[in-house]
Structures are given as C-alpha cells and as structure tokens.
Amino acid sequence: MGKYELTRDFAEKMDSQDALASLRDHFYTKPGQIYMDGNSLGLCSKEAEAAVERAVEAWKEYGIGIWTQAPTDYFLYHDVIGAKIARLINADPEEVTVCANTTLNVHQVVATFWRPTKERYKIVIDELNFPTDRYAVVSQVASRGMDPDDVVKVVKSRDGKTLAEEDLIDAMTDDVAMVLYPSVLYRSSQLLPMEKLAKIARERGILIGFDLCHSVGNVDHDFKKIDCDFALWCNYKYLSGGPGALAGLYINKKHFEREVGLAGWHGNRKDTQFELRPVFEHAMNAGGWQTGTGSVLSLAATDGALDVYNGVEIKDLRAKSLDLTAYMMFLIDHELTAYGFTVGNPREDSVRGGHVALEHEDAIRINEALKAADVVPDFRYPNVIRLAPVPQYTRYVDVYDLIQRIKEIMDTKAYEKYENKAGTVA
Ligand SMILES: *Cc1c(COP(=O)(O)O)cnc(C)c1O
C-alpha cells in the first residue's frame, strides 16, 4: 500500500493530523472556494490587513512624523522586513531588502554586477524563465550600447518544459560574466540545483544569482550554503505580501562594497542621508541598493504577511507543500489520466517546487470551467493548468475536492461551452 488513499475520509484524516492546519485561520478564505493560485497572488491575511491599518493610523496621527515618531520604524522598514524574509532563506538579515519590483530588481542586478570586459562579457539566462527577466536583461545590455544577440546567451530547453542540469552548467563558459537563473520554473515547477550551479559558477569566476519568485516562502532555501552573489523575487506570491508588493533583493555581504548600479538617495548611508550631500555613499547592507522612498502602505501588507511565519519553520511548510503536491499527483494518476490529463512537472521532491503543472489539450476551456466551479487555478500557454496548494492555507480536503470537481467537469463536458481562448489575466 502506498502512502495515500482515494477516499475523502483519508483527506480529512490528513487534515486532522496536520500540525500546520491552524495557519489557515490567519487568512481570508471563502467558503466553498478552492484557491489554487497562491503562486500568482497569495491570499490576504488578518496580519497583513492589521499592519496596513496601523500604517494608515500612523499617517493620520503623525503626518511627516510617520518616519521618525511612529512605534513602527517606517524609515528603516525595508531593513526590518528584509530581516524577516532573510530568516526564511537563511541569509544574514542585512543581506536582504525590499524595494521596487522584480523586473526593476533584475535591472538593478545587471547594472550592479555586469562589468563586461573584452574576454568576459556574456550574460547567461534560460529560455523558460518568466519573460520579463529576459526583457530586462536584454534592455540593460542594449542601453549600454552592446548587442544583446552577442551578449545574452540563452540556455535552451530540450523538452520545452524543463532545463537539463548539464546544459545549465555547460553554458558557463570562459566568456561568461554573469548568470541569472530561476529557482523554480514558473510553468513546469522544476526546481534547479542552485547550490551546485552557484559552486560551479564560483569555480569558474562567474557571478551568479537567482530569481526566487516561485520559491520564496515555500522552498526551504539555505543561502548560507547556496552562497550565490545576488537574488531577487516578488513578495506577492507564496509570501502573500499583497498585490504588487515591493520586491525582494538579496546581495551577498561580500559585495556590500561594490558600486551600486542604479543609485538613489534612499540607498544612502542612513546617518548622512538627510544631509543631502552631493555625492552618494551607499549603506553597507542590501539597503544600499534602495533607490527612492518605498511605499509604506504596501510594505505594511508584506510586513504583516510575514508575521504569519512567526513560530513556523520554513522546512515544515516545504514538507507539507511537497506532501500536498504528491497527494495531488497521486489523485491525478488514479482519477484523471483516463480523461487525457498528464503531469507536466518533475516528480522527484528534490527537483520540484510548490505547484503541479496539470496538462491537457483542452486546458484553456477546462480552466474556465474550473473557475465557474469555484476553483481558482491559472492557465499558462500552451496547455498547462497550474495548481498551487499553498501549505499555509490549503487543506488536504481542498486537494481532494479539486480533483472531484475536475472529474465532474470532464464527465459532464461542462468545459465544452467555453471558448478556446484565455482571459487577459489567465
Ligand atoms: C511573477 C514573476 C515576475 C513578476 O515580475 P514583477 O516585476 O513583479 O511584475 C518576474 N519574474 C518571475 C520569474 C516571476 O515568476
């Protein structure tokens, strides 16, 4: 007998034995709704809401004094929040900050870390990463008067879904200056061997960093071991920091002295920032890479959202996430293959992130039918329905019921009445 069973009783038993089950009470969930899109936008928590309300109150109460008089340190808020996220990826508190958005943080790391020489000038990316990262890299290269077709080296996928470790390593040749890879691929959920890749990059004299959008707050990264040069991510996915939350930026402490690529007064040393000197001297922490004033109301949501992690170990969340997705795959294998569904993500724990990539040739229409059945999934071209059972608020019965709803849609052919066309925000 395997670990999982096909009955709803089994799912209920799993929930009753789940030490993390009560975390769900922190979130606003809707009765009957099965939310599987926390990898696009995490749900609102009571802590996030309360922190935003506190920030509004402080604004009302103190006016400009919000920066210095409020009980919360809003002036150094990015450092406070950075430290909270640092715990989740095992980095030093001063190595993490929150600023801008993921796309701008890609611009920032290229502007900071890419110092092309005649011999070493290429930037390695991959063809499966979320395209905004590529747009940013290419435009940075072009803005410095170099030819992106020559400079940007793109690792190809052999199967259109995953990246071969060998190819990621072989791309790191002598002419490469810097590498930006994702931690987890947004479509197929593949988790890359970050520690190994970073070690090889170091040995070859290449700077390397990762985009953690699809892993931060879910995968138990150990940045002390990975020891890459930089990383960036958004805080509104698994971390549930709120729509458009300011993004994360990790700068390895060995680079604190490095010249900041995109400088701004908020990255200045804090003791002299308000002297408004003509020459920029950046703070000797990740906060040195701040540009302008951060959005306090948005930062507050992220600050509150991170409180949900208090007393929780990321490795326990990761274990539950892996268990929920393994259980989902078990149910797919037993209940859905007959309808033409396949699992598009890697199967082994060590190489997969927090969502299941459910594939079907009618994925667009099935995705629409799922929305009508009070499920929140999302669709990614060409044929993937992404299902993310976020361990903070997803129960085993949600996974069970999800599979039943999919079955019903297939049995009743409810999806046939939808157009074969995805919405704007799929
Ligand atoms: C979600 C995501 C982004 C989003 O970028 P924004 O600048 O926050 O809009 C970027 N890269 C990856 C890999 C993502 O998954």
Side-chain angles (χ1 to χ4, degrees):
M1 251 328 266
K3 190 175 171 193
Y4 304 115
E5 296 168 28
L6 290 168
T7 63
R8 196 171 197 279
D9 282 353
F10 173 79
E12 284 172 5
K13 191 181 86 191
M14 292 295 282
D15 284 322
S16 70
Q17 294 169 355
D18 173 16
L20 298 174
S22 66
L23 283 180
R24 179 176 168 88
D25 302 335
H26 294 255
F27 291 89
Y28 287 99
T29 52
K30 292 190 159 184
Q33 185 183 72
I34 302 176
Y35 196 81
M36 288 286 155
D37 209 11
N39 59 338
S40 282
L41 184 67
L43 290 177
C44 182
S45 61
K46 290 165 191 168
E47 283 86 345
E49 178 185 47
V52 172
E53 281 169 2
R54 281 198 300 278
V56 171
E57 283 308 313
W59 177 21
K60 282 194 217 164
E61 176 69 22
Y62 302 105
I64 185 69
I66 190 173
W67 299 116
T68 48
Q69 293 162 356
T72 302
D73 190 348
Y74 292 116
F75 183 54
L76 293 179
Y77 215 16
H78 51 274
D79 288 342
V80 174
I81 297 169
K84 285 183 173 180
I85 301 174
R87 179 179 80 86
L88 302 179
I89 62 171
N90 197 31
D92 284 349
E94 66 272 18
E95 289 177 315
V96 179
T97 196
V98 276
C99 54
N101 55 47
T102 302
T103 307
L104 278 171
N105 286 343
V106 174
H107 281 280
Q108 177 66 284
V109 297
V110 177
T112 298
F113 290 94
W114 186 53
R115 293 284 177 267
T117 63
K118 231 181 160 131
E119 295 74 35
R120 246 187 215 286
Y121 65 96
K122 295 204 176 194
I123 303 179
V124 173
I125 57 172
D126 66 278
E127 72 169 348
L128 297 182
N129 199 354
F130 194 74
T132 197
D133 294 39
R134 182 169 179 168
Y135 305 158
V137 170
V138 166
S139 73
Q140 273 291 323
V141 170
S143 75
R144 290 216 234 159
M146 288 177 73
D147 177 9
D149 288 338
D150 177 33
V151 173
V152 182
K153 187 168 169 184
V154 183
V155 177
K156 296 265 187 293
S157 165
R158 299 180 190 191
D159 62 0
K161 295 182 198 178
T162 55
L163 298 164
E165 185 176 307
E166 214 185 312
D167 297 343
L168 295 166
I169 294 168
D170 288 350
M172 294 192 247
T173 45
D174 287 345
D175 53 359
V176 171
M178 128 174 209
V179 175
L180 172 65
Y181 286 147
S183 53
V184 168
L185 295 182
Y186 77 97
R187 196 162 31 189
S188 71
S189 197
Q190 181 190 9
L191 169 63
L192 302 188
M194 298 162 66
E195 191 178 334
K196 183 167 181 183
L197 294 168
K199 180 167 179 280
I200 292 167
R202 266 195 312 280
E203 287 164 2
R204 298 184 184 176
I206 297 169
L207 296 174
I208 186 168
F210 296 93
D211 180 328
L212 313 181
C213 279
H214 279 278
S215 62
V216 72
N218 183 261
V219 173
D220 50 340
H221 292 306
D222 185 342
F223 268 61
K224 295 266 190 281
K225 283 198 184 138
I226 295 170
D227 198 25
C228 58
D229 299 288
F230 58 86
L232 45 98
W233 58 89
C234 53
N235 287 319
Y236 50 78
K237 292 174 180 168
Y238 290 101
L239 280 177
S240 304
L246 273 66
L249 182 64
Y250 160 90
I251 305 283
N252 189 313
K253 58 180 178 285
K254 70 183 171 209
H255 294 300
F256 285 170
E257 309 254 342
R258 185 175 273 266
E259 192 183 337
V260 173
L262 306 177
W265 78 304
H266 229 63
N268 203 81
R269 282 169 51 174
K270 291 296 144 187
D271 57 337
T272 60
Q273 178 175 343
F274 275 87
E275 292 174 19
L276 305 174
R277 296 174 177 182
V279 178
F280 175 64
E281 267 188 277
H282 75 271
M284 284 298 137
N285 58 22
W289 276 259
Q290 292 279 328
T291 50
T293 311
S295 160
V296 166
L297 299 185
S298 170
L299 287 167
T302 304
D303 181 28
L306 287 161
D307 284 342
V308 176
Y309 287 82
N310 288 345
V312 177
E313 292 301 325
I314 188 80
K315 69 173 180 20
D316 294 332
L317 280 170
R318 169 70 170 157
K320 181 178 171 187
S321 165
L322 285 171
D323 201 40
L324 283 167
T325 48
Y327 174 52
M328 190 184 286
M329 290 190 284
F330 166 84
L331 293 176
I332 291 167
D333 290 342
H334 285 82
E335 310 247 38
L336 297 183
T337 43
Y339 300 98
F341 287 98
T342 49
V343 168
N345 52 279
R347 295 262 181 175
E348 273 175 60
D349 285 0
S350 60
V351 288
R352 64 191 175 88
H355 71 269
V356 169
L358 183 64
E359 298 179 337
H360 195 284
E361 59 177 14
D362 259 319
I364 292 186
R365 300 199 291 169
I366 296 166
N367 191 63
E368 289 305 305
L370 274 168
K371 290 188 210 163
D374 216 2
V375 174
V376 185
D378 73 18
F379 168 77
R380 287 293 177 266
Y381 280 100
N383 63 343
V384 177
I385 298 172
R386 295 191 310 177
L387 300 166
V390 175
Q392 286 91 318
Y393 44 78
T394 308
R395 299 164 301 193
Y396 288 82
V397 289
D398 294 321
V399 174
Y400 179 87
D401 292 343
L402 165 73
I403 302 301
Q404 298 312 307
R405 288 187 202 181
I406 296 174
K407 259 175 84 174
E408 185 166 332
I409 284 165
M410 302 315 290
D411 285 338
T412 60
K413 302 195 187 301
Y415 64 95
E416 289 185 351
K417 67 171 185 261
Y418 297 96
E419 246 187 298
N420 200 17
K421 186 169 160 287
T424 316
V425 179

